[in-house]
Amino acid sequence: MLANSIVVLDFETTGLSPDQGDRAIEIGAVKLENGIVTDRFQALMNPGRRINSFIENYTGISNTMLATALPCAEVMTDFADFIGESNLLAHNASFDSRFLTAEFSNLGRQVLGEFTCSLLVSRRIYQDAPNHKLGTLINYKNIAADGSFHRALFDAEMTAELWLIMLKDISERYGLENIPFSLIKRLTRTPKAQIAKLLTNYAAKVL
DNA sequence: TGCCAGGCCCTCTTTAGGGCCTT
């Protein structure tokens, strides 16, 4: 697995907290290499119990659909092989990171790559956006969205497209040709008021 | 019994509270 690839992922789940017993019910992901989608992963998974009507309505995933899905363990084993050592990206990564860690923990596997978060980046570079929900940002950046939000693969695809546009916008705004993953990690840890200074100084060193 | 997420981020802040995001 190439260390410089990034896997953009999204979980649909039974609820908000694996610590409260919630489980994954769908994983969707796209692999980006040099700004191009080179692979995709999508699977429903059976969490071993019924999901409530809020989740059915929110995701469009029904108990009937999950009844014939493979168990979480089988799906997540395949997904662990899919992501390998790739770095990882999600919109509000703290949420997906918790579920990925919890599901991997059940398998005795570990998350090997580093996570970063498109929500934290968008709050820093799109301060004029109405809000920073994924759907709002897709509309804000005029990204064509032909599919259903709150399904894992579609949300992962949309997050990947948003990600590439954010990188392009940062590049153009600060005159950078390449934006390494390490710079994005620094950006997400930097207060909004210091973002311009961080990127301007970085550009001055590179050029 | 009663309660039940958690991390980020702002502000009327740090001896705290509440909105935003994810399902």
Side-chain angles (χ1 to χ4, degrees), chain A residues 14 25 29 37 43 49-50 74 92 95 100 134 144 151 162:
Chain A
T14 64
I25 59 173
V37 175
R49 58 182 149 87
R50 293 180 62 79
E74 285 189 44
N92 197 13
F95 174 85
L100 187 64
L134 179 61
R151 285 300 301 268
L162 176 65

Side-chain angles (χ1 to χ4, degrees), chain A residues 190-205:
Chain A
T190 301
K192 283 181 191 173
Q194 297 172 29
I195 291 301
K197 184 179 178 184
L198 170 72
L199 293 170
T200 302
N201 286 349
Y202 181 86
K205 282 184 188 175

Side-chain angles (χ1 to χ4, degrees), chain A residues 44 46-47 49-51 56 60-69:
Chain A
L44 291 169
N46 190 329
R49 58 182 149 87
R50 293 180 62 79
I51 58 173
E56 283 190 310
I61 298 168
S62 67
N63 281 294
T64 303
M65 293 161 70
L66 294 178
T68 54

Side-chain angles (χ1 to χ4, degrees), chain A residues 48-83:
Chain A
R49 58 182 149 87
R50 293 180 62 79
I51 58 173
N52 63 39
S53 59
F54 172 82
I55 297 298
E56 283 190 310
N57 292 330
Y58 187 79
T59 63
I61 298 168
S62 67
N63 281 294
T64 303
M65 293 161 70
L66 294 178
T68 54
L70 292 173
C72 295
E74 285 189 44
V75 171
M76 294 309 297
T77 296
D78 289 344
F79 188 60
D81 294 337
F82 177 82
I83 65 177

Side-chain angles (χ1 to χ4, degrees), chain A residues 82-100:
Chain A
F82 177 82
I83 65 177
E85 297 180 6
S86 297
N87 286 323
L88 304 165
L89 167 71
H91 197 67
N92 197 13
S94 70
F95 174 85
D96 294 278
S97 173
R98 280 197 297 277
F99 277 94
L100 187 64

